[in-house]
Every structure is written in C-alpha cells, then in structure tokens.
Amino acid sequence: MNSRLAELIDPRSLRLLLGGCVLLLCAAISVYWIKPLWLQYQQLQQSNARMAAAVADGPALSEKIQQRYATMSHLEEQLYGSSGAVPARQIESYVIGSLQSISWSLGVKLDSVKPLPAKPILQFNETPFEVVLSGSYFDLFSWLQAVDRELGFIVVDTLNVTPSGGDRSGQALRMSLRMASYRVAQP
C-alpha cells in the first residue's frame, strides 16, 4: 500500500509539500516566538536609552524643577498677592489691615470698611467688602493700584466717586466701592 501511494504522488510534489510545511513551520515560529522576543528587546533598549538620558540630564532636571517652583510661586503671588499664606478664616482681618496700611502709606483717609457675608461662587470663596475712603484723585487712583498689587485677585464691582463736602477747593474726593476677594475653596 505504501508503494502504491508512492506511485500515485509525484516525488517532486512530495518535496514541494514537505518544503511548504517546513516554511510554514518556520513562519509560525518566527511570528509567535521570535517576533515578541524581538519587540520586547527593542522596548528594553529604548527604555534603557531614556534612563541613560535622564541620568545624563540629572543636574539640568533639578534646575528645571526649581524653575517650575519659582514660576508657580510667582503665579501664586499674582493670583493671591501677599494673602496667599493667610488661612481662609483670617482673610477678612488681613484684607482690612492691608487696606488700612495701604491708605496710611498713600495719605488716603479710610473712612470705613464693612465686611459682607462670604459666599461660595463656583470653586471660589468670595469675601466682599464695602469700602469708603477720601483723598485726592491721584491718591485714590494710586490706592486702587496698590490694592491690586498687594492683595492679588480683588474685583471692584461697584465704584462711586463724589466731591467731598468738607473741602472747599474741590480737590478732595470721596470714593465708595464694593470689592471682593476671591480664593480657591479648600475641600
């Protein structure tokens, strides 16, 4: 029977069939065994190169980190002014004290500061104040600039300037304003 099968199949076809099976087996081994090992080796090589570059950039990396911290503190100072380190429960007294200090330094008379009830707005805590002060036009303008510079994110939403009744020369003005300090709400 084996001889009969050998007579039916051409030896050349048999060699081609066996060669095809060997090629198919080689292709399967390379796709399912060698290729994953090669890809893993490539990834390890890339990871090693990145780690070597990070070690080489070590001093520059610490400088970059310090620059980022300096940038963050500068942005925080722009946002919060000098009140960034003040706890939320002390912000009212801090703002009032700062307003008085700014007024004294610029020769503006701070007539009254009335804190209003605080309320949350989106992710911020709003602390509003009604402020009345008097002085010359330029002093009041300088006062507003100093408040912006020293207290950070302050919004003036109502401003009313009138001539002061006690000054006959018309140089003194009385300014009433409603301003609010905003801070990110702490969870």
Side-chain angles (χ1 to χ4, degrees), residues 9-24:
I9 299 177
D10 183 31
R12 201 167 142 203
S13 298
L14 185 60
R15 279 186 293 222
L16 282 174
L17 180 66
L18 288 175
C21 285
V22 168
L23 283 176
L24 186 63

Side-chain angles (χ1 to χ4, degrees), residues 130-187:
E130 286 183 354
V131 181
V132 178
L133 50 135
S134 54
S136 73
Y137 171 81
F138 294 108
D139 290 342
L140 293 176
F141 184 75
S142 297
W143 185 88
L144 287 170
Q145 288 179 326
V147 166
D148 180 50
R149 205 174 35 253
E150 291 187 29
L151 292 179
F153 195 62
I154 297 284
V155 174
V156 175
D157 60 4
T158 305
L159 178 72
N160 185 18
V161 179
T162 57
S164 180
D167 186 21
R168 301 221 187 271
S169 66
Q171 297 294 324
L173 299 173
R174 183 175 184 88
M175 182 166 65
S176 304
L177 58 100
R178 183 187 178 279
M179 59 187 269
S181 170
Y182 293 91
R183 292 175 58 109
V184 176
Q186 300 298 325

Side-chain angles (χ1 to χ4, degrees), residues 43-59 61:
Q43 288 175 342
L44 288 173
Q45 230 179 4
Q46 290 172 356
S47 175
N48 190 23
R50 282 192 302 260
M51 287 174 36
V55 168
D57 291 341
L61 187 61

Side-chain angles (χ1 to χ4, degrees), residues 20-42:
C21 285
V22 168
L23 283 176
L24 186 63
L25 182 63
C26 288
I29 287 173
S30 66
V31 167
Y32 292 109
W33 186 51
I34 295 174
K35 184 179 178 185
L37 290 176
W38 178 254
L39 292 175
Q40 186 179 12
Y41 173 74
Q42 294 279 50

